[in-house]
Each structure stands twice: as structure tokens, then as C-alpha cells.
Amino acid sequence: MQAILQCGRYNLPLNTGRPLVMGILNVTPDSFSDGGQFYSLDLALSQAEQMIAEGVDIIDIGGESSRPGVQPVSLEEELRRVMPILYALRDCGKPLSIDTYKPQVMREAIAAGADLINDIKGFREHGAVEAVAEADCALCIMHMQGDPQSMQRDPRYGDAVQEVSGFLSDRVKVLEQAGVARARLCIDPGFGFGKTLEHNLALLNNIGKMQDETGLPVLAGLSRKSMLGSLTGKPVEGRLAGSLAAALAATAQGARILRVHDVAETVDALKVWTATMVGPVGTKQKQEEEQE
Ligand code: PT1
């Protein structure tokens, strides 16, 4: 595994024994036409400030929800939501990620200084590979079966782990052929994106294998997802404990980046985890460091 993720203005260490924490910054639609834009910008900025105080490593800005069943937003609306935040946070001292699958948003975000492009469609939209190839930002390639509107209707796989790994490897090849350095890449099985609980659990239990086979860092997004609701019976606002347990399960598998809503709680859980860790994560990463 590479020691560093090349992430725009930043080189992020991957083998510290503790995964990086990516904090989710959702840009909510304006509730009022008058002054509403300033209100939501203010809210997003104070949320970012709080995440930074809590120890976030990467801030992931998203202008379109990809929760199951949600309708897409237009290019213009997504840019209106995301770009002011990106400009306002540019000098906050933390790498900025943009959660988008739209090539035009990628281009504008990169021009404005985005450090990472996080694409739930794995750079499959027409023009997406070209939009990011020449830049120096990191890329997160995620797997999704279907699209957010319909993906949870009837997800099916022969072998979910095989198919997701195969898809991710194919996208890695395409990006590398377009000139993207491997040091810019991370991969993501896409928890909850066209997967049953069984598929999600199989993928979670194979993060380590996926990472070993590709040699690329895995990013895991499990925070507050419905798979945790299925396991605990809790609604989305009652899933903090489940989210922390899932984050640690992914950490035990060696995941290098965790995408989370609850930064302070996750950072605490990881501090305790790494301090007490004598098992495969710490051992494995130490061995890799010694080899470097
Ligand atoms: C993710 C992710 C993401 N998740 C990356 N980006 C979302 N790289 C947005 C549910 O089942 O995992 N990795 N960007 C949010 N999407 C979902 C999907 C939210 C499913 C909730 C569910 O509840």
C-alpha cells in the first residue's frame, strides 16, 4: 500500500495506524429566497469550523443527496450550492473534497482548488475521466449498482465482493490509462448503493482483501446508513452507536478513510481503538512501513 494519498495541495499519510476522518458537509437547499443563501452558507461554514475543531482530516462537500430514492438536482443548482462553500473554505487548512458525479462540477471545483473529487458513479459519466485526468487532486472511485432513485429496489449479485472489486479495478485501469497516478486514487465499495444488508456485510468483511488485491486505500462510508437501521431497529437519528461500531469494524479491516457525520465521536473512538490496538491493523501497517 502506498504511504501517501496525493490530494491536491496535501499529501495525506495513510499508514499511521489510524484511518483519516472525512467529515460530511451537506449543503442544504435554501429555505427562503430572501437572504436564505447567506443563511445556509453561514450554517455550512460554522459546521465546517466545528468539524475542524473536532479533528477532521478531510471535508467532503456535497450539493446533491445520493440517499436511496432521492431525485437529482440540476447542474446549475449543484454549482450554486457547492461553489460558495468551496471558495469560503479554501484556506481553512484542511483538504476539501467535492462529492459529485457531474464533470462540469468537477472542472469548476478543481479550478477553484478542490483537493479531492469523490464520485459515487466512479467517473463513469461522459467526460468525467477527462475532467480530472490532468489535475493533481485525489479521486475516490465508488461502486454503485443502478442509480440513487432505484438502486434499493432489487439489488442482485452473483458474488457481490467479486463484482464490486472487478468494477473498481476496471475503473482504476481506465483512470490510469488516462494518465492518473495511482497515488491519487482511493476506492470505495459504496455501502448502501444497490446492496442488501448481506451484500453490505460481505463487502465490509472484505475491505482488507480488496485493499490487498488492488494495493489502493479503501474509503468506507457507513455513517447513519439504513444497514445500521436494519441491524439495530433505530431511525437515522438513533444510529450513532451503530455508526461508531461500523467505523471500528472498517478500521479493523484496515480501511484508510472513514466518511462520517459525527466527527468528534469518531475521532474519540479511533483514539481509544488505536491506543488499545495490538491486532492486525497496527501490526500489518507497521510491517508495511518497515518494508518501505
Ligand atoms: C459513500 C457515500 C458518498 N455515501 C462515498 N461518497 C453517500 N465515497 C454520499 C442508506 O442506506 O458511502 N462513499 N457520498 C450517502 N449515500 C447514502 C447511501 C446514504 C445509502 C444513506 C444510505 O441509508
Side-chain angles (χ1 to χ4, degrees):
M1 162 89 50
Q2 70 214 48
I4 273 168
L5 180 68
Q6 196 183 308
C7 188
R9 300 165 290 173
Y10 300 84
N11 285 324
L12 302 177
L14 294 168
N15 296 334
T16 62
R18 190 193 297 182
L20 297 165
V21 174
M22 171 186 265
I24 300 167
L25 189 61
N26 285 321
V27 188
T28 49
D30 304 332
S31 11
F32 308 98
S33 54
D34 248 28
Q37 198 163 354
F38 291 107
Y39 178 70
S40 57
L41 181 60
D42 254 18
L43 201 72
L45 295 183
S46 59
Q47 244 181 287
E49 209 175 301
Q50 189 179 340
M51 288 198 287
I52 292 167
E54 292 171 348
V56 81
D57 297 300
I58 304 168
I59 298 174
D60 188 41
I61 304 164
E64 176 178 323
S65 172
S66 56
R67 273 179 292 113
V70 166
Q71 292 296 313
V73 301
S74 70
L75 169 64
E76 292 69 32
E77 178 60 22
E78 191 175 337
L79 287 169
R80 247 198 311 276
R81 292 182 188 182
V82 162
M83 294 307 291
I85 313 244
L86 182 53
Y87 285 120
L89 287 179
R90 188 152 45 175
D91 298 317
C92 76
K94 296 294 171 187
L96 301 177
S97 163
I98 301 296
D99 186 341
T100 190
Y101 58 82
K102 296 188 181 76
Q104 198 55 36
V105 176
M106 295 177 187
R107 285 188 186 276
E108 298 217 16
I110 288 168
D115 300 291
L116 191 159
I117 302 294
N118 172 25
D119 184 354
I120 61 165
K121 293 194 178 178
F123 303 89
R124 278 181 288 163
E125 290 279 292
H126 182 72
V129 171
E130 293 77 7
V132 300
E134 320 260 274
D136 64 357
C137 59
L139 307 174
C140 178
I141 307 168
M142 200 196 78
H143 173 273
M144 165 166 55
Q145 183 178 89
D147 53 52
Q149 293 82 264
S150 60
M151 63 191 180
Q152 287 309 107
R153 244 173 250 161
D154 186 23
R156 277 167 199 260
Y157 298 84
D159 179 330
V161 176
Q162 279 299 315
E163 287 179 39
V164 169
S165 297
F167 168 84
L168 293 172
S169 300
D170 288 348
R171 298 313 298 163
V172 168
K173 271 187 214 136
V174 169
L175 284 157
E176 284 192 298
Q177 274 160 17
V180 175
R182 280 181 80 77
R184 289 174 59 195
L185 298 177
C186 62
I187 55 174
D188 181 343
F191 294 104
F193 287 90
K195 280 123 191 158
T196 64
L197 175 60
E198 286 67 32
H199 298 144
N200 286 316
L201 292 174
L203 290 163
L204 178 50
N205 283 316
N206 282 279
I207 287 174
K209 188 173 165 228
M210 207 176 280
Q211 230 164 204
D212 285 345
E213 285 176 2
T214 59
L216 291 171
V218 166
L219 184 154
L222 293 149
S223 187
R224 299 184 187 172
K225 285 190 178 173
S226 49
M227 63 178 283
L228 308 176
S230 306
L231 291 168
T232 61
K234 296 286 171 66
V236 66
E237 64 275 12
R239 295 180 190 163
L240 174 58
S243 298
L244 295 174
L248 294 184
T251 303
Q253 281 284 328
R256 295 303 203 266
I257 308 174
L258 303 174
R259 182 179 180 277
V260 307
H261 297 89
D262 303 289
V263 171
E265 291 84 352
T266 306
V267 167
D268 274 2
L270 290 173
K271 280 180 180 168
V272 174
W273 171 269
T274 50
T276 56
M277 192 63 207
V278 287
V281 177
T283 321
K284 188 143 192 232
Q285 290 186 11
K286 277 226 175 66
Q287 284 165 357
E288 284 178 15
E289 276 162 30
E290 278 158 17
Q291 281 164 19
E292 278 155 18

